[in-house]
Amino acid sequence: MCNPTENRFSGLGRWAGTLVLLLGLTFSSLAQQGPKVSTSVDTTAIKIGEQIRFTVTVEADSTSSVIFPEGQTFSPLETVEAFKTDTTRQLDRMTLQKIYALTQFDSGNYLLPTQRIEIDGKGYFTDSLRISVTSIEVDTVSKEFYDIKPLIPVEKNTASIPFYVWVILGSLLLLAVLLWYILRRKPLSQEEEEALLPPYDRALLELKRLENSKYIIQEEYKKYYSELTEIVRSYLEEDVHISALESTTDQLIAKLELMKDAGELKIEDETIRQFKRILDTADLVKFARSKPESSRAEEDRKAIEQIVIKTKEAIPEPTEEELMEQAAYKEEQKKRKQRRRKVQIALATAAVIVLGLIATVFYYGLDNVRNNLIFRSSKDMLEGEWVSSSYGYPPVELAAPDVLIRQEVEISPEEKDVVRDKQVFSFYNPDNLLGVGTSSILLAEPKEPDYQKSIDQILKGFVDKGARNIITKQEEFSSASGVPGIKVFGSAIYQDESGGERIRGKYAIILFGGKGFQQQVVLSWEEGDPYAEEIMDRIINSIDVKIQV
């Protein structure tokens, strides 16, 4: 017979064995379950500057090593913050959750790229998502506007004044001094003021001065009569227009009589005879050392004064033609004086400029002065603030003098079978042919891009815009992080935008790519511009690319 107790324990033993077997199978199935990676976003549509939360959830064995992506791996979206990993455990399994805050400051549709999660050295990839970014409408009706904030005082700049500023200030000061010297009006001396008087007034003034002289008192009759006859002869030469200073007494009297007979001088015969008598007396005093009485000398002076007055009255009034000739002569003299002043000012200005230029050349050197005098906007761009950014997807990173602007491009019907997406960014300065452009292309099939076809298309674009005599060279290239690529470079003759002048310039085409994508950087600049050369070298050295799609 079978013992009931033994049967009961035997049944319990069998049940316990079955339970252990089931638990073992459960643990075995849990231990053999592989890692799981899932993703989610809180929204797929945001406005510019808003954030989305991208959540990555990993289920794996509790002993597994899990590495999440770090840094800017979500381009073209930007990583604002990567939150700490949240970990929960259940038996020998664990669940890891990582949240990323992402944003974008340019409107458009963007592809959130796949991310690589490394679990125990093996890569697991997340799904890619399409994110829509829209612009923000500005409410100009319901929003309240505020006054402009007041100015904030800042500390005075105590930096030293550059040398060229001193050169400019010194040149202006020197120019001002020269102009003042040229244009200044000196006060006229008494002799100069008398010389500007009309001949008649000047003769009467000189006769009055002779009256107050001490020649008669000192019995210096020779000097007295010499000045007396010179005064009247000078007056006749200037106002009557006869050669009186170089004529003898008889010659001068003969000329006066001829003018009287011709009607050019309406003077009485008695006046001429009186004038001859005085001249004869003067000749005797000057050459024969005759010494007349003092009263006679004074009477001769008064007689000469009357002769001057009567001669002035005897001169006929000038005709209208003579007056016009005199006015034209005065106007011509005035114009000559003005022209002389202008020439002096121009010479002074040129001298100041030359001196300033010579001083600047000695201080800065000939090459620097030449490059600064010839205006080149490329110099300002080189020395200005540069922008480092990432463009397109797959991203192209570079530093440039200005931000590259997204260009709206359409995929042509011929490209639709080959190209799935294309993003283009560019910047161009027409003053010096300085252009920078990037393009990121996603191919329709996961195959290597045709680099030669891309190069031919870019060069064809140059030709379509008027470029001629294109010289091409090619070499291997490496990005800043060591990504291999191809560099095509050379020179060409470009045509300006107006279609007129042709300018010799240079270009460089740099290409990267892999299965399913291609990245391009196209540069152009004017040949012979040293600042543009430095700009391009700096851009090329800053180029880097991401080659994970």
Side-chain angles (χ1 to χ4, degrees):
M1 293 183 63
C2 182
N3 191 333
T5 303
E6 291 180 358
N7 291 336
R8 185 171 66 250
F9 281 105
S10 176
L12 289 173
R14 287 195 299 274
W15 172 248
T18 302
L19 182 61
V20 170
L21 179 61
L22 290 173
L23 289 174
L25 291 173
T26 301
F27 294 152
S28 175
S29 62
L30 288 175
Q32 294 175 0
Q33 186 177 0
K36 292 183 179 180
V37 177
S38 61
T39 59
S40 64
V41 290
D42 58 347
T43 180
T44 59
I46 61 172
K47 295 184 181 298
I48 291 176
E50 290 183 344
Q51 299 179 8
I52 64 171
R53 289 180 175 264
F54 178 65
T55 304
V56 181
T57 303
V58 176
E59 297 180 7
D61 189 79
S62 59
T63 60
S64 298
S65 173
V66 180
I67 300 176
F68 289 95
E70 298 292 342
Q72 297 292 338
T73 62
F74 297 91
S75 181
L77 297 180
E78 297 183 15
T79 304
V80 178
E81 184 179 0
F83 297 94
K84 291 184 178 180
T85 306
D86 184 17
T87 305
T88 58
R89 298 180 183 274
Q90 184 177 6
L91 298 178
D92 60 349
R93 298 287 290 180
M94 66 177 177
T95 301
L96 305 178
Q97 192 175 68
K98 184 78 170 181
I99 299 177
Y100 298 89
L102 310 175
T103 189
Q104 174 56 249
F105 296 97
D106 194 7
S107 61
N109 293 318
Y110 298 91
L111 185 67
L112 179 61
T114 59
Q115 300 296 311
R116 186 178 187 276
I117 313 298
E118 187 174 313
I119 305 175
D120 293 333
K122 185 178 180 181
Y124 294 82
F125 294 90
T126 64
D127 295 331
S128 60
L129 299 172
R130 181 70 64 176
I131 305 298
S132 176
V133 182
T134 58
S135 59
I136 300 175
E137 295 183 1
V138 180
D139 186 357
T140 60
V141 178
S142 62
K143 298 297 182 182
E144 184 178 358
F145 290 90
Y146 299 92
D147 292 336
I148 299 174
K149 293 184 178 180
L151 297 175
I152 300 175
V154 297
E155 294 183 1
K156 183 179 180 181
N157 186 4
T158 58
S160 60
I161 300 177
F163 175 75
Y164 68 86
V165 175
W166 289 114
V167 171
I168 294 174
L169 293 177
S171 300
L172 292 177
L173 180 60
L174 180 58
L175 180 60
V177 171
L178 290 174
L179 292 179
W180 172 82
Y181 180 79
I182 294 172
L183 301 176
R184 68 191 178 103
R185 293 185 176 180
K186 297 185 294 183
L188 298 177
S189 63
Q190 184 177 355
E191 292 78 7
E192 290 174 334
E193 290 181 354
E194 292 180 3
L196 295 176
L197 292 174
Y200 173 75
D201 296 333
R202 189 167 66 251
L204 295 180
L205 180 63
E206 291 175 350
L207 289 171
K208 189 67 176 178
R209 186 182 298 117
L210 183 62
E211 179 185 5
N212 298 326
S213 68
K214 297 181 180 180
Y215 291 143
I216 297 177
I217 298 173
Q218 297 173 354
E219 295 185 352
E220 295 181 355
Y221 294 105
K222 183 177 181 179
K223 291 183 179 180
Y224 181 84
Y225 276 95
S226 294
E227 287 193 17
L228 180 63
T229 55
E230 185 176 355
I231 291 171
V232 69
R233 284 174 179 270
S234 297
Y235 167 71
L236 292 174
E237 186 150 326
E238 290 185 63
D239 227 2
V240 183
H241 305 295
I242 59 175
S243 55
L245 291 173
E246 303 298 331
S247 300
T248 64
T249 299
D250 294 336
Q251 290 173 343
L252 179 56
I253 295 301
K255 292 176 182 177
L256 290 174
E257 290 176 345
L258 286 174
M259 293 184 68
K260 173 182 173 298
D261 295 339
E264 297 178 4
L265 187 64
K266 298 177 181 180
I267 192 170
E268 297 177 354
D269 292 337
E270 179 61 30
T271 303
I272 295 176
R273 285 195 294 271
Q274 187 180 20
F275 183 39
K276 183 177 185 308
R277 181 186 60 79
I278 295 173
L279 291 176
D280 289 338
T281 302
D283 290 339
L284 291 173
V285 172
K286 290 188 291 182
F287 303 112
R289 296 185 180 182
S290 175
K291 186 179 290 186
E293 296 179 0
S294 58
S295 58
R296 174 70 179 276
E298 179 61 27
E299 290 176 0
D300 287 344
R301 189 201 64 78
K302 292 179 180 179
I304 288 296
E305 186 174 340
Q306 290 301 313
I307 290 172
V308 170
I309 295 173
K310 292 178 180 179
T311 304
K312 176 66 176 175
E313 296 173 351
I315 298 175
E317 291 294 328
T319 64
E320 185 176 353
E321 292 181 358
E322 291 175 340
L323 290 174
M324 292 292 292
E325 290 178 357
Q326 292 177 4
Y329 176 76
K330 292 180 179 179
E331 183 66 22
E332 180 63 25
Q333 290 295 105
K334 183 179 178 181
K335 289 182 179 179
R336 286 183 180 179
K337 188 175 182 181
Q338 290 176 346
R339 285 196 295 268
R340 187 165 58 251
R341 286 280 180 87
K342 290 180 180 179
V343 171
Q344 291 174 339
I345 293 173
L347 292 176
T349 304
V352 170
I353 293 174
V354 170
L355 290 175
L357 182 61
I358 291 174
T360 306
V361 169
F362 272 105
Y363 188 84
Y364 286 109
L366 181 59
D367 291 337
N368 289 331
V369 173
R370 183 176 63 248
N371 292 331
N372 280 277
L373 287 179
I374 302 173
F375 174 74
R376 294 185 184 275
S377 59
S378 53
K379 181 177 184 294
D380 297 332
M381 296 170 64
L382 175 63
E383 297 175 352
E385 184 176 354
W386 281 47
V387 178
S388 297
S389 187
S390 176
Y391 301 95
Y393 177 79
V396 178
E397 298 177 1
L398 56 79
D402 205 344
V403 177
L404 274 62
I405 306 301
R406 177 187 292 272
Q407 306 297 318
E408 297 296 332
V409 294
E410 295 183 359
I411 301 175
S412 64
E414 295 79 8
E415 294 178 320
K416 285 185 177 179
D417 296 336
V418 181
V419 177
R420 178 160 56 95
D421 189 21
K422 180 190 293 185
Q423 299 176 37
V424 178
F425 298 81
S426 67
F427 160 77
Y428 181 68
N429 183 357
D431 293 337
N432 48 19
L433 300 180
L434 200 151
V436 183
T438 70
S439 62
S440 299
I441 303 171
L442 293 176
L443 303 178
E445 297 180 2
K447 61 180 182 180
E448 293 291 335
D450 188 343
Y451 292 114
Q452 189 58 49
K453 185 176 180 180
S454 299
I455 294 169
D456 293 341
Q457 289 178 345
I458 295 173
L459 295 178
K460 183 179 181 298
F462 288 171
V463 174
D464 293 340
K465 291 182 179 180
R468 297 292 183 270
N469 298 339
I470 300 177
I471 300 174
T472 301
K473 300 178 182 179
Q474 183 171 324
E475 64 183 16
E476 295 180 354
F477 181 82
S478 294
S479 70
S481 63
V483 177
I486 298 174
K487 178 181 178 182
V488 178
F489 60 99
S491 62
I493 298 177
Y494 299 99
Q495 194 168 29
D496 61 10
E497 294 184 346
S498 63
E501 183 181 2
R502 291 187 175 274
I503 305 171
R504 178 167 290 278
K506 292 185 176 182
Y507 70 90
I509 305 169
I510 301 173
L511 303 100
F512 303 92
K515 290 186 177 180
F517 70 94
Q518 186 182 93
Q519 298 143 305
Q520 301 173 356
V521 178
V522 181
L523 309 172
S524 65
W525 66 98
E526 184 179 354
E527 187 174 347
D529 186 346
Y531 301 108
E533 294 281 356
E534 292 186 41
I535 289 174
M536 290 307 166
D537 289 341
R538 184 172 171 182
I539 293 175
I540 292 173
N541 292 332
S542 70
I543 294 175
D544 203 359
V545 294
K546 302 288 185 181
I547 58 174
Q548 293 181 354
V549 181

